[in-house]
Amino acid sequence: MATQVTATETDQVLTLCDELMLLMLNEETGYFHQVPGWHLSCAMAGAALAGLSLRARIDTDMESLILLDETPTGNPVLDLALSQIANESKQRSAQYWVEQLAPRAEMMIDLTLDRLVQVQILEHHEGDFWTLAPAGRHSEYLSDEDAQTTVEHVKARVDKSIFGTDIPDSRDIIIIALANVCDVLRFIFDFDEAAEQRVQLICQMDLIGRAIADAVTQNLAGTVQSAALTKTIPKLPIRRLATNKHLREGNVPAGFAQLTEEFGPVFKLKSPLEKQPMICVAGPRVNRWVHRYGRMYLRSSDYLRGLEEAYFAAGLLPAIDGADHFRLRKSLRASYGRERLEHQIDETYGNVRKFMATWTVGDTYGGVSLCRQLTNACITPTLISVEADDVMDDIISFKSRALKTQVIKVMPPFMLRTPGMKRKAKAVEVLFDRVVRSHTATQRMGCPRDQADDILSLHKSDPTFVPESNLRFMFSAAVLASMYAGDELSFLMYAMLSQPDLHEQIRAEADALFEDGNPTPEDFKSPAIDVTRRFIMEAMRLYPTIPMSMRTVMNSCVVEDFELPVGSKLLIATTACHYMEELFPDPYTFDIDRYLPSRAEHRTPGYAPFGLGTHGCLGSHMVDLQLTLNLLMVAHYFELQMKPTNYRLKIDAFPSLSPNGKLKFTIAKQRHPLPV
């Protein structure tokens, strides 16, 4: 019979679903040991059934699974399984229920991970990484005094069961059977023949464990899909790119949304400059697949190797995958975090006002260049504690040329080595020297820690992981972040000035926010700027600065019933979803009410202004605060006008999407004095 667990205990102990996910966690990579999909689905279904058995909701014998009590447990994963069993009028076997519940495994995994984050055992990071949270190292979940973490607690029990001689208790028998189905035990423990035999013996001790194994081995529907059953990828004639209205105007997301509607979520594009066709993928299901499973099948290093060569670097964050990518990303997380900007918010206000003090009423400025300079005046001092306004344009030009010649290859390689480009490349060296000279122990005494401090510490502690040759690009990344944020700000300014009603609402929120001096970081999370927040979200939907990414298929896979062979070049149009009617009704209309709780159209993988998966923007929360702060300060202190007044938006696509050079802003009026 099953072991009874009280409601109070249920809130405190780990479920078998929890323990399975923790056992599979690989803390070196920030993800989980890779398991064939059907195996993991069966294991999660079995964990839910076993959890119900331990709570005396069900019982099992050789032939049947018997419902004992349909009272909900309060655990969403267990109750999901319990409701399905309770709704079945006929008595079924445990194997039947493993197979019936397996298709719901993805939802079960999501619910389990959400619970582990909520109870502070796991911590979720941008890019869909997980690590053990500090609370998971010293909580009531631990009963083994020798175990330092919750994961070690689970592993210690499994280790004792496998390598000991005592008969394990029922809970440990089940967790071993679940892990064995997923084939992860050999990655965690050093197995010999005796241990293998012991595991097989333990797995036969529990009926549910045997049912899981039978479901995996006998159900052919869960095996890898045969390539012979997949569809043929349609081919897109290259002329269709040239004739697409949206692409001609630079609106890449809208253009690929239209092509996806016509050709489907997967299609081939053959460029005359490339021997191998590019496979384009787009759509909400593609986005979800990329976010959850892209790390297993795709890599970024092939495309960005040329960019590394341009900077004489190797192992840069955008160009590495797997454990190295996670390790570097984790090390730099604080550098790009919103908290770093919040701690220096008063200095940021000062930097913004210092730059605005150079504006003269009546003067006209290039829209994109003005916004890039404004964001650079904020971001670069925050991240690397130096000014870079004098070298910003050259650093951006060099990066843009490197992308065009080394990554997307629309220009021949020698164009990166012209005398003009060599002069611009020197700006990278100037910035490097400036940062190094200002980041000695004496110079940094009493200063708040910045990104350059973090990078230099990484270099000193492990010069093979972060070599000196990488520092030039890593320091210039702060300036490049200003470029991307500035381009997005220029779209925000265009959208605000072209919609007087929204402009007035944003201005009212800005005036109220700055009425009593500098707002606190918490003020930027308050309902007082709700219109501004939703306005920014909608502008980023319509005008994302990075609309797509490029990858190489490293493991063959099936996406939307199309096989993507190893070595395929993949273009992932993540933001094409922003213009798809089924996700965002009337997608070409600027509608900030999409983000009201009653609609919440952004709560899907279709909303991806900062990218998806492991290579999603590490600084997304910092950028969000930066854009909000900049837009509100402009609205509060100045009245700007677009020039020409009838400007019709056209977009430059390189190096990131931005309004074209014809957009200009005139300083029409200063509304409030700038505090000294």
Side-chain angles (χ1 to χ4, degrees):
M1 293 294 293
T3 302
Q4 183 72 34
V5 178
T6 67
T8 301
E9 290 171 331
T10 302
D11 294 335
Q12 298 298 323
V13 302
L14 296 171
T15 68
L16 284 165
C17 295
D18 297 334
E19 291 190 348
L20 177 62
M21 297 310 297
L22 291 173
L23 193 62
M24 293 172 58
L25 179 65
N26 184 337
E27 290 196 76
E28 291 184 1
T29 65
Y31 203 53
F32 302 91
H33 292 291
Q34 302 305 323
V35 178
W38 180 246
H39 294 60
L40 179 56
S41 296
C42 289
M44 283 301 294
L49 293 176
L52 291 174
S53 178
L54 291 175
R55 283 163 174 73
R57 297 304 196 273
I58 63 172
D59 200 357
T60 56
D61 58 26
M62 297 299 294
E63 302 294 333
S64 302
L65 183 148
I66 304 134
L67 178 64
L68 300 177
D69 181 1
E70 60 182 86
T71 304
T73 67
N75 180 283
V77 177
L78 301 186
D79 290 341
L80 177 67
L82 182 61
S83 64
Q84 288 201 237
I85 296 170
N87 289 331
E88 175 62 57
S89 58
K90 186 177 179 180
Q91 205 166 83
R92 304 285 190 175
S93 68
Q95 182 179 337
Y96 170 87
W97 281 113
V98 168
E99 295 175 1
Q100 285 295 304
L101 293 171
R104 310 293 295 276
E106 189 170 301
M107 181 185 297
M108 292 178 177
I109 291 171
D110 288 343
L111 290 170
T112 299
L113 293 174
D114 287 346
R115 166 182 146 81
L116 289 171
V117 171
Q118 183 178 6
V119 299
Q120 297 183 318
I121 290 177
L122 290 185
E123 188 173 336
H124 180 247
H125 305 278
E126 292 295 325
D128 231 17
F129 293 102
W130 282 267
T131 57
L132 199 64
R137 303 177 187 275
H138 52 269
S139 72
E140 67 272 19
Y141 301 98
L142 306 183
S143 60
D144 187 335
E145 294 181 358
D146 295 330
Q148 296 179 346
T149 70
T150 314
V151 172
E152 289 172 356
H153 168 62
V154 178
K155 290 179 180 178
R157 287 175 24 226
V158 173
D159 181 276
K160 183 177 179 181
S161 298
I162 294 174
F163 297 100
T165 56
D166 296 338
I167 296 176
D169 65 27
S170 59
R171 188 183 188 89
D172 293 339
I173 290 171
I174 295 170
I175 196 67
I176 290 171
L178 296 171
N180 189 54
V181 164
C182 296
D183 195 26
V184 297
L185 292 172
R186 61 191 175 90
F187 297 115
I188 302 170
F189 306 103
D190 292 328
F191 267 24
D192 54 18
E193 187 175 348
E196 293 275 8
Q197 293 175 356
R198 171 78 169 169
V199 168
Q200 297 307 315
L201 175 63
I202 291 172
C203 291
Q204 294 301 310
M205 294 179 181
D206 179 76
L207 288 174
I208 291 181
R210 297 204 320 244
I212 299 167
D214 290 341
V216 170
T217 56
Q218 294 179 21
N219 194 314
L220 297 179
T223 58
V224 177
Q225 184 173 2
S226 168
L229 301 178
T230 57
K231 303 175 185 176
T232 301
I233 299 176
K235 295 180 180 179
L236 172 72
I238 190 68
R239 65 178 182 277
R240 295 303 299 273
L241 294 182
T243 58
N244 185 283
K245 171 189 173 184
H246 299 298
L247 293 179
R248 287 202 312 271
E249 294 181 348
N251 193 337
V252 176
F256 274 87
Q258 193 174 75
L259 294 173
T260 301
E261 182 179 2
E262 185 175 353
F263 290 89
V266 182
F267 54 87
K268 287 182 180 178
L269 174 64
K270 180 67 171 69
S271 167
L273 302 176
E274 296 284 347
K275 295 180 181 179
Q276 182 182 353
M278 179 83 73
I279 298 177
C280 304
V281 296
R285 288 189 295 271
V286 167
N287 277 11
R288 181 171 179 80
W289 180 87
V290 168
H291 188 66
R292 292 186 64 101
Y293 307 112
R295 74 188 78 213
M296 292 184 254
Y297 301 101
L298 311 176
R299 66 171 176 247
S300 62
S301 56
D302 302 64
Y303 283 102
L304 295 175
R305 192 171 295 124
L307 181 67
E308 289 186 317
E309 292 174 359
Y311 285 87
F312 304 102
L316 298 176
L317 183 64
I320 53 177
D321 303 283
D324 285 342
H325 178 83
F326 171 66
R327 179 186 171 195
L328 185 54
R329 189 183 182 97
K330 184 179 178 183
S331 300
L332 295 175
R333 181 181 58 170
S335 303
Y336 286 97
R338 181 185 176 111
E339 294 79 8
R340 186 65 62 86
L341 179 57
E342 288 179 343
H343 291 156
Q344 299 182 53
I345 197 162
D346 286 332
E347 291 86 346
T348 302
Y349 290 139
N351 290 330
V352 173
R353 290 164 180 148
K354 179 181 176 182
F355 179 74
M356 287 181 169
T358 66
W359 296 0
T360 302
V361 173
D363 282 359
T364 298
Y365 303 88
V368 172
S369 61
L370 181 72
C371 290
R372 285 180 177 180
Q373 290 165 7
L374 175 56
T375 54
N376 180 66
C378 308
I379 292 178
T380 304
T382 300
L383 291 183
I384 56 177
S385 301
V386 299
E387 294 187 357
D389 54 312
D390 58 325
V391 294
M392 180 186 70
D393 290 341
D394 284 349
I395 288 174
I396 291 173
S397 295
F398 181 77
K399 165 74 177 304
S400 176
R401 183 64 61 87
L403 288 174
K404 291 178 180 179
T405 57
Q406 308 297 106
V407 179
I408 58 177
K409 299 180 180 179
V410 294
M411 298 178 72
F414 77 85
M415 293 297 292
L416 187 63
R417 301 187 296 271
T418 63
M421 274 299 116
K422 288 180 179 179
R423 286 193 297 271
K424 293 181 185 299
K426 290 180 181 178
V428 177
E429 195 70 32
V430 169
L431 183 67
F432 170 78
D433 289 338
R434 194 173 291 174
V435 173
V436 170
R437 291 176 183 275
S438 65
H439 281 73
T440 64
T442 303
Q443 295 285 336
R444 297 297 295 160
M445 187 176 297
C447 298
R449 190 172 181 85
D450 66 9
Q451 186 185 93
D453 291 322
D454 295 338
I455 292 170
L456 288 168
S457 294
L458 282 172
H459 166 62
K460 291 174 183 177
S461 64
D462 192 348
T464 60
F465 183 56
V466 179
E468 183 182 343
S469 58
N470 286 11
L471 299 184
R472 287 157 180 80
F473 178 86
M474 296 178 79
F475 292 154
S476 66
V479 177
L480 300 175
S482 303
M483 175 192 74
Y484 292 118
D487 291 351
E488 189 61 59
L489 181 62
S490 65
F491 280 126
L492 296 179
M493 298 281 286
Y494 160 78
M496 182 174 70
L497 296 178
S498 60
Q499 299 176 90
D501 290 344
L502 285 174
H503 188 182
E504 188 59 39
Q505 293 180 66
I506 293 169
R507 186 182 306 172
E509 289 186 343
D511 289 348
L513 193 69
F514 285 90
E515 183 178 15
D516 297 322
N518 289 343
T520 68
E522 290 302 312
D523 291 329
F524 288 96
K525 302 174 184 177
S526 72
I529 58 167
D530 176 62
V531 170
T532 302
R533 185 181 299 108
R534 289 187 284 121
F535 170 85
I536 291 174
M537 293 177 70
E538 178 68 345
M540 294 182 75
R541 179 188 72 84
L542 284 166
Y543 317 120
T545 56
I546 303 178
M548 58 183 57
S549 58
M550 294 185 288
R551 299 287 185 268
T552 300
V553 178
M554 63 181 180
N555 291 307
S556 59
C557 49
V558 175
V559 177
E560 292 276 36
D561 297 327
F562 294 94
E563 184 189 20
L564 307 182
V566 170
S568 300
K569 296 183 176 182
L570 203 63
L571 189 151
I572 308 166
T574 48
T575 60
C577 292
H578 291 190
Y579 284 86
M580 293 184 176
E581 181 81 30
E582 65 270 25
L583 298 173
F584 299 97
D586 197 9
Y588 294 90
T589 298
F590 198 103
D591 181 6
I592 69 170
D593 290 347
R594 300 182 191 277
Y595 311 100
L596 291 172
S598 58
R599 292 173 63 177
E601 294 173 14
H602 61 296
R603 298 290 187 188
T604 74
Y607 186 74
F610 290 109
L612 293 168
T614 57
H615 285 273
C617 177
L618 184 57
S620 59
H621 295 300
M622 176 186 278
V623 170
D624 179 68
L625 176 57
Q626 187 72 60
L627 291 173
T628 306
L629 182 152
N630 284 340
L631 186 69
L632 286 166
M633 291 186 76
V634 170
H636 176 66
Y637 287 113
F638 288 93
E639 183 177 311
L640 274 63
Q641 293 178 349
M642 255 190 316
K643 189 175 182 181
T645 54
N646 62 345
Y647 173 79
R648 180 173 178 270
L649 181 65
K650 287 194 175 181
I651 299 172
D652 285 340
F654 298 108
S656 60
L657 301 194
S658 63
N660 70 357
K662 292 184 179 180
L663 175 64
K664 294 179 171 56
F665 298 131
T666 297
I667 311 299
K669 176 183 177 182
Q670 183 167 342
R671 302 182 63 243
H672 295 94
L674 293 166
V676 178

